[in-house]
Amino acid sequence: MNKKSKTIYALLIILGVLILINILASRFFVRMDLTADKRYTLSDATKTILKEIPEPITITAYFSEDLPPEVGKVRKEFKDMLIEYVNRSGGNIAYEFKNPGKDDATEREAMQKGIQPILIQQREKDQTVQKKAYLGAVVSYQDQTEVIPVIQSGSAMEYSLSTSIKKLIATDKPVIGFLQGHGEASISSMSQAVKQLDVLYKIEPVNMTDSTDLSVYKTLVMVRPEDSIKQTQLDMLDNYLANGGHLLLAFDRVEGDFQSVMGKAKTTGLETWLAGKGIQVPAEMITDATCGNISVQQNNGFMTYSSQIKFPYFPIVNKFADNPITSGLEAVIFQFVSPLNYNGDSTVSFTPLVMTGNKSNAVPTPVYFNIEKKWNEKDFPESNIPVGGIFSGKLAGNTASKMVVFTDGEFPINGDGQRQRQINADNVNLLVNSVDWLSDDTGLIDLRTKGITARLLDQVEDSTKSLLKWLNFLLPILLIVIYGIFRSQRNRIRRIKRMEEDYV
């Protein structure tokens, strides 16, 4: 076989391999995820949900076209994810993309289904203009639909899609009972949290009477009780835990009164009940150098004005344990929170979840709120005081159970009616994550709290970033030039040798 035949033969082999790769690629979708946190790899929870789909699901994505690159990449990411969902579902998922900007009918269809446009800024002809963009999807199953108004990049995309599917196909949702009857926060006053919980659970109010069967509830939740709790009802909670139940408590051991400008102890019976299990919640108020503000009325002559001042009794907590409940949280705002400790035996384990910062303190009540006080470091001699944690083991009887306790009952409440307000997202997430951890067996909590690890480049100075950018651009060119010079020199040496008289 001569040299020309060998070259043709090699080219045919390469061509055949390329054709085979294309055929396989058209049948099988493969994507390598090289990110440190595997943000583009489907979670085990999603894979389980996709295997459980009983009948076909249709996903209609409404995405505008001609978007800026940083926005347009969301469409590609979503399409890639849908391809993976199709492959993992065994053919039970079908999808289509529609462009609402194509015509008025498609735009009306998107808006009627709950997909609202967002405004994005784009540079056109040396000026910034605002354009409408649609980045949503509708998940349809039988005669039901779930709307994802805005598709977000990263793990939020998978969570939105997987929970929408789970909500549609779920038949027997676990029941979560919110205890009532002692002045607790109503379900409607925690609408932000309930909206998220409603995806996976059936939420019910529970008034404990002699005939109440607590065993039907996967988890019981008590948020901010105001009145005393009867011993018979505390005994019912003990019986619930003795049968392996799960309990979440968010209650106040102290309270602040701005009318009397005082902080004082609060008793509901929970503190005594917990003390019997070795769980101590002293009547002390946490102060922290990292804190929220309050509005104070001040007079200046004939004028009255409001000013914002730091209030250390409203600590902003950003120290969390490595646990699914607190994974991905950045900061939680508490109001009049108390320390949480455990001095019981080894039958119960205590895992602190939420801790104060490096400059904090626990002040015994009663305490006077001195608005004019100038706080300094000497006022915060302590650090890492637990204000929330997990208790697991033999909390009552001989059967293992779980309980999550927070020493502030206000943190997840966003109010009723006209008093309703948006609260810090991580306050909501802390409650929802706790319920998930106690109740959910699907593993979606890991997906919802799956954060994006900070890239080291974010910590690099601008001058170094610029150097790396130019190095990344010029290095390949430089290597090609060096290789070209090397090839040229090698060929030159070969030509010289061939010209020599004794060359064979």
Side-chain angles (χ1 to χ4, degrees), residues 77 91 140 149 154 173 186 230 241 267 328 344 378 455 482:
E77 286 181 14
S140 304
K173 292 183 179 180
S186 64
K230 296 178 181 178
L241 292 173
T267 58
K378 293 181 180 180
R455 304 273 73 84
I482 292 173

Side-chain angles (χ1 to χ4, degrees), residues 197-216:
L197 291 172
D198 191 52
V199 173
L200 297 177
Y201 313 105
K202 182 180 179 181
I203 308 299
E204 289 184 357
V206 182
N207 286 279
M208 287 190 290
T209 65
D210 293 340
S211 60
T212 304
D213 182 9
L214 297 180
S215 65
V216 301

Side-chain angles (χ1 to χ4, degrees), residues 474-490:
L474 295 174
L475 185 59
I477 298 175
L478 182 61
L479 290 175
I480 292 172
V481 171
I482 292 173
Y483 179 68
I485 294 172
F486 170 75
R487 287 278 310 257
S488 177
Q489 286 294 106
R490 188 179 63 176

Side-chain angles (χ1 to χ4, degrees), residues 218-267:
K218 183 77 173 183
T219 296
L220 290 175
V221 181
M222 178 179 280
V223 177
R224 199 204 60 191
E226 298 283 354
D227 306 326
S228 296
I229 303 171
K230 296 178 181 178
Q231 184 59 48
T232 54
Q233 295 172 329
L234 294 172
D235 291 340
M236 291 177 68
L237 293 180
D238 273 326
N239 291 332
Y240 175 74
L241 292 173
N243 288 300
H246 300 156
L247 179 62
L248 191 158
L249 295 177
F251 75 105
D252 297 316
R253 183 66 179 92
V254 293
E255 60 184 353
D257 184 356
F258 286 109
Q259 296 295 323
S260 61
V261 202
M262 292 285 291
K264 56 186 179 180
K266 183 177 180 179
T267 58

Side-chain angles (χ1 to χ4, degrees), residues 121-130:
Q121 292 187 342
Q122 187 174 358
R123 295 287 296 180
E124 288 185 0
K125 297 180 180 179
D126 298 327
Q127 62 179 350
T128 302
V129 296
Q130 286 190 331

Side-chain angles (χ1 to χ4, degrees), residues 311-344:
F311 194 61
Y313 299 97
F314 286 1
I316 299 176
V317 175
N318 54 21
K319 281 195 174 183
F320 305 104
D322 183 12
N323 186 276
I325 291 177
T326 51
S327 175
L329 299 185
E330 294 182 357
V332 175
I333 304 172
F334 290 108
Q335 298 181 23
F336 306 123
V337 63
S338 301
L340 177 67
N341 302 302
Y342 180 68
N343 60 7

Side-chain angles (χ1 to χ4, degrees), residues 254 284-292 311-317 334-339 355-364 367-369 373 375-385 387:
V254 293
E284 298 174 348
M285 279 188 173
I286 295 291
T287 58
D288 200 300
T290 305
C291 58
F311 194 61
Y313 299 97
F314 286 1
I316 299 176
V317 175
F334 290 108
Q335 298 181 23
F336 306 123
V337 63
S338 301
M355 289 77 68
T356 63
N358 293 329
K359 297 178 182 179
S360 56
N361 197 16
V363 182
V367 59
Y368 169 68
F369 302 144
K373 179 176 179 177
W375 297 81
N376 56 56
E377 291 192 6
K378 293 181 180 180
D379 295 310
F380 308 107
E382 298 187 45
S383 62
N384 302 323
I385 304 172
V387 295

